[in-house]
Amino acid sequence: MSSKSFWIKRFLMMLTGILFISICVGCYRLSGFGVDAFTCMNLGISGFIGILFGTWQLIMNIAILIVVFFTVRKCIGAGTIVNMICVGYGADFICWMAENVLKVEMTLPLRIGALILGCLFAGLGVAFYMTAEMGIAPYDSVALIIEKGTKKKIAFQYARVISDVACVVVGVVFCLASGDNIWTIVGIGTIINAFFNGPLIQFFRIHVTQPLLYGRQEGESITFNIYQEKK
């Protein structure tokens, strides 16, 4: 495969991953079973300090981006910007189509189905744009920072669980401190996302996205080059 064809394949995988993440967020919102771990934390903190959620989320993304720059700089790329701009709008479009255009009544079976799809697309989407290595969202780099900081003693999938669970705990603590109802930010979807998203991402990287990009034979190890600094 030529270098140009390989770049195009990576670019399409990056866009596909971000599309899947948009579907994931839209499905979570339609299910009504709770938000993802990072959103949970930001909702809790923003409610406690009394600023807009979007403003606080932007502050957190910038803060994490600074840490990423000095630790796993190769995680920053076009995908980082596209993710930060497009995921929210993509999720809004999906919810608008379902609720305002198609006027879907979210019965309990449909909510459960949306939750399952959200969980699957969460893992698959991150796996796609991580494998493409054209930049990922700041928060998705946190598990890689932990993995690098521990010299891979904590594998990526477990580092992701640690960061997700920590975010949920922080969100709940700040939500309780502000006197808000924790069930406005936490649900079964939040718990499932926190404990299973990391393993799902790793599973899809091994069995779907790496073979799709590199044609890796079963049994070969995953290579991910975020630890190599840009020259």
Side-chain angles (χ1 to χ4, degrees), residues 3 5 8 14 22-23 25 38 49 69 92 98 101 104 111 113 151 156 168 172 176 189 197 202 215 225:
S3 59
S5 297
I8 291 173
M14 179 266 287
S22 297
I23 294 172
V25 176
F38 188 54
I49 61 181
F69 180 82
D92 284 342
V101 178
V104 177
R111 290 175 62 202
K151 298 181 179 179
F156 168 82
V168 173
V172 168
L176 290 174
N197 199 33
Q202 190 73 348
N225 299 320

Side-chain angles (χ1 to χ4, degrees), residues 138-158:
Y139 177 69
D140 290 328
S141 303
V142 172
L144 295 170
I145 293 171
I146 295 172
E147 186 180 35
K148 181 182 180 182
T150 60
K151 298 181 179 179
K152 299 189 179 182
K153 291 180 181 178
I154 300 179
F156 168 82
Q157 61 267 39
Y158 305 118

Side-chain angles (χ1 to χ4, degrees), residues 46-115:
S46 63
F48 177 77
I49 61 181
I51 68 173
L52 291 175
F53 164 75
T55 302
W56 177 254
Q57 178 124 318
L58 178 60
I59 292 170
M60 284 298 299
N61 273 322
I62 293 172
I64 296 173
L65 200 59
I66 293 171
V67 177
V68 171
F69 180 82
F70 290 105
T71 52
V72 285
R73 192 175 304 177
K74 200 172 181 181
C75 287
I76 300 173
T80 308
I81 307 304
V82 175
N83 185 292
M84 292 173 67
I85 295 173
C86 295
V87 167
Y89 291 117
D92 284 342
F93 176 76
I94 290 167
C95 291
W96 175 75
M97 285 292 295
E99 296 170 344
N100 298 97
V101 178
L102 301 177
K103 298 189 183 299
V104 177
E105 183 180 351
M106 293 304 293
T107 60
L108 183 59
L110 284 179
R111 290 175 62 202
I112 293 172
L115 173 62

Side-chain angles (χ1 to χ4, degrees), residues 4-23:
K4 183 178 180 180
S5 297
F6 185 65
W7 185 90
I8 291 173
K9 192 172 183 180
R10 289 171 57 211
F11 182 76
L12 291 175
M13 286 186 70
M14 179 266 287
L15 292 181
T16 301
I18 291 171
L19 172 62
F20 286 168
I21 293 296
S22 297
I23 294 172

Side-chain angles (χ1 to χ4, degrees), residues 119 123 157 160-161 164-165 188 190-203:
C119 292
Q157 61 267 39
R160 180 70 186 223
V161 172
D164 283 347
V165 171
I188 185 63
T190 311
I191 306 304
I192 293 173
N193 179 276
F195 283 99
F196 294 101
N197 199 33
L200 275 175
I201 293 169
Q202 190 73 348
F203 174 84

